[in-house]
Structure formats: structure tokens, C-alpha cells
Amino acid sequence: MSEEKLYAVKNDEGKYWDFKDQDDFWELSYASCPTTDNELDAKDVIHDHGGHVVTLIEEPKPLVVPEWFDKWLDAFCRQGDGYSWRELAVVRILQQGWSKSINDSYQAFDSHWAIPHVENKQVDYVLNHKKELMVAALTGNYTVAKEKKYNVKVPHAEGWHFQKYSCESKRGSRNDWKPFPAKDIDSNISKDLFLFTEAEIEHYGLQDCEKEEVTDDDD
């Protein structure tokens, strides 16, 4: 991304040249226009009136992406060797809605990779935010917005919440990875397995259950 530069001329007294009135150096709060986007104008002031150039760079606002997209991109780029997976991720985002889905597996020559899956709401998000997600995927220059996470109560069972299977669980695959009730006081269970995002709550069909938002202060 390009950076917009502005220039100011500051003298030894800490005052700034006024590029609007072109009359003198002033305290910053009194100068009508203490900056210019023309570097030559700033250098001309120094030549005629002294002082030195202060370059101001207007930083582009960082892209903010959802947490699930960061995880998807990381998983996508770990698929294999020999290909520029970051560029392929950009192509996959661009193709969303044009007979292709971000969830489609990727095939190249005789190889086949299963692409990490995202939920329907997230697919719609990709379709509506293609430009910024492509820039984020290509440059890697973005920040991640933390998704809200919740404990989901088991109905009519005080002190019980739904728990997810860990990825190492052998029982998970046999039970289609559906969450199951677990007692809160079981210290052998990781607290992370009790945390659900909005997308996970929808995926597992737990929308009608009471939920409690969990913040970092609760950890």
C-alpha cells in the first residue's frame, strides 16, 4: 500500500511555517496550514527562511480480518510444498461466487488437497469482502479481530455446559464431533473445549440454548 506524505518546516524555536499565509513561523496551534504535500515547496521555505523539513507519513489503516479468516488462511497455506499457496488463496477468494466456493478442494496436476472448511455465514462474508481479504491474504499485513466466545448451557441442567471433543479424541469421530454435556467442576477438561463462537453455535445447532459470553478477564 502506498503512503501519503506531508511536509512541515520547523525552525529552531519549535515553530512551524504557515504554507497558507506564507508570512512567518508560528506556534503549531496558530498556523493556518502548517503542512504541504509538495516537498519542493518545503525546501524553498528552508532556502529562503531557514528551518528544517519534518516529514509526516499518513499510515494506512491496518486491515482487520475475522479470527476465522486468519485460521483459514494459515491452514490453506500449510497444504503443501511447491506452490505459492498465498497467491492461490487470493485466487480462491476472488473465485468466490463465480461457480467456485472458498470451501472447494484444490486440485493441481495429480495432487489433491482438502481445503479447510468455513461456515455458510463466513462464505457470505468472503463474497462481500473480497477486496480487503485478497489484500490481507497476499500481503499478510492485517490485524485479527477476536471473535466473541461463549459457554453454552445445557438446558434444565444446572452446572452443566456443552463441551467439544478435542482433536485427539477417538470418540469424536464416532459421535460426528457433536458437543456433549459436561460438568463444570471437572478439572480434567480444558476450559477451551467449553468455548464456542457464534458460527460454531450455529453449526452444532445450539442456537436455542442459553449462552454466556466469556471475556479474557474470565480466564
Side-chain angles (χ1 to χ4, degrees), residues 2-211:
S2 61
E3 297 174 330
E4 297 294 334
K5 291 185 178 181
L6 295 174
Y7 305 93
V9 177
K10 185 179 181 181
N11 66 10
D12 294 338
E13 297 177 358
K15 296 180 179 180
Y16 292 82
W17 181 257
D18 192 327
F19 285 94
K20 180 180 180 182
D21 296 332
Q22 295 284 331
D23 56 353
D24 204 351
F25 290 92
W26 297 86
E27 295 289 344
L28 186 58
S29 58
Y30 291 105
S32 299
C33 182
T35 60
T36 177
D37 59 0
N38 190 323
E39 186 178 10
L40 291 178
D41 286 348
K43 290 181 176 179
D44 286 343
V45 171
I46 293 172
H47 180 269
D48 296 336
H49 304 280
H52 62 275
V53 172
V54 177
T55 303
L56 309 174
I57 299 176
E58 184 179 345
E59 294 284 351
K61 291 184 179 179
L63 290 169
V64 180
V65 302
E67 190 174 354
W68 63 261
F69 176 80
D70 178 58
K71 293 178 179 178
W72 174 87
L73 181 62
D74 180 68
F76 190 102
C77 293
R78 293 175 182 268
Q79 290 295 306
D81 298 322
Y83 297 93
S84 183
W85 285 95
R86 190 169 290 277
E87 283 78 3
L88 291 176
V90 174
V91 173
R92 181 48 49 90
I93 294 167
L94 178 63
Q95 291 175 332
Q96 179 64 40
W98 293 88
S99 74
K100 290 282 187 180
S101 169
I102 195 172
N103 282 328
D104 290 345
S105 60
Y106 187 83
Q107 291 178 283
F109 301 103
D110 296 327
S111 300
H112 176 93
W113 291 274
I115 299 305
H117 183 83
V118 299
E119 303 299 324
N120 289 336
K121 281 186 178 179
Q122 296 164 348
V123 170
D124 292 339
Y125 185 93
V126 174
L127 184 60
N128 295 322
H129 298 82
K130 283 185 179 183
K131 183 177 180 180
E132 53 262 49
L133 293 182
M134 285 192 294
V135 171
L138 186 61
T139 65
N141 183 23
Y142 60 82
T143 59
V144 179
K146 292 191 81 173
E147 289 185 87
K148 290 183 179 180
K149 294 184 179 179
Y150 304 88
N151 290 143
V152 182
K153 290 185 175 182
V154 177
H156 313 296
E158 187 66 30
W160 289 74
H161 287 81
F162 283 103
Q163 179 208 328
K164 294 178 286 189
Y165 285 101
S166 68
C167 56
E168 295 84 9
S169 174
K170 295 180 180 178
R171 295 175 57 191
S173 58
R174 294 201 297 267
N175 293 291
D176 198 26
W177 299 103
K178 293 180 179 179
F180 59 92
K183 192 76 172 174
D184 297 354
I185 61 175
D186 191 341
S187 60
N188 294 319
I189 300 176
S190 168
K191 289 185 178 180
D192 289 341
L193 296 177
F194 285 102
L195 299 179
F196 293 80
T197 64
E198 290 277 9
E200 289 173 330
I201 291 173
E202 180 182 3
H203 174 73
Y204 293 122
L206 302 176
Q207 301 97 313
D208 294 334
C209 299
E210 186 180 351
K211 62 186 180 183

